Amino acid sequence: MSSPEPIALPNPPNDGITSLQYIDNNNSSSQQLLASTSWDGALRLHDTFAKTHVLTHVMECGPLLSMTSSPSSSSNKVFTGGIDGSIRQFDIATSTPSLIGMHGSNSSSSSNDDNKKAACSAL
C-alpha cells in the first residue's frame, strides 16, 4: 500500500504552525474545513475537499499559540489562545472575532463556561 500524495494548500502561514484541526461544518456537506493557527497571529481556514483557501483573519493578539473548535457540533466557532493571554472566539459564519477572556501562566479549565473550557484545554 502506497502513502497518500501530499497536497499543498494555497496561502499557507508565513511562520510556524501552532495548531491544526478539522472543523465540523454543518452548513455544507461539500466542504471539509481545516483550521490552522500560527506564529504570524493568523487563523486560516482551508477547504481541503476543494483545495482552496477560505479565509485568513489576523487576530489582534500577536502569535496564536493554540486553537480548538466549539464543543457543540451545531456551532461553527473556533477558539484561539494568544501569546498576550487572550482567549478569542471566531465565528466562522460571520467572520467575526470576539474577546471572551484572558488567561495567565497558570491557566486552567475550571470555568463553568463550556466555550472557555474548550479554549483553555487547548492552551
Side-chain angles (χ1 to χ4, degrees):
M1 183 169 163
S2 63
S3 298
E5 187 69 28
I7 299 169
L9 295 172
N11 297 39
N14 301 321
D15 209 336
I17 294 172
T18 55
S19 319
L20 286 171
Q21 184 174 7
Y22 277 99
I23 305 299
D24 184 16
N25 188 10
N26 292 331
N27 295 336
S28 173
S29 60
S30 63
Q31 277 189 325
Q32 190 172 12
L33 293 180
L34 177 66
S36 66
T37 56
S38 63
W39 276 91
D40 65 6
L43 168 68
R44 287 177 177 76
L45 293 176
H46 287 90
D47 180 348
T48 58
F49 183 75
K51 300 178 185 116
T52 59
H53 173 255
V54 176
L55 70 83
T56 296
H57 185 85
V58 178
M59 299 294 199
E60 300 171 2
C61 60
L64 297 176
L65 303 179
S66 62
M67 173 197 48
T68 191
S69 61
S70 175
S72 168
S73 62
S74 63
S75 176
N76 285 334
K77 294 185 172 63
V78 175
F79 301 90
T80 62
I83 200 165
D84 67 348
S86 64
I87 302 171
R88 296 177 189 271
Q89 171 183 282
F90 185 81
D91 187 317
I92 296 170
T94 63
S95 295
T96 307
S98 56
L99 179 67
I100 63 168
M102 298 294 290
H103 67 85
S105 59
N106 60 350
S107 174
S108 70
S109 56
S110 60
S111 168
N112 288 331
D113 182 334
D114 284 341
N115 290 333
K116 286 184 185 176
K117 282 183 184 179
C120 287
S121 70
L123 298 175

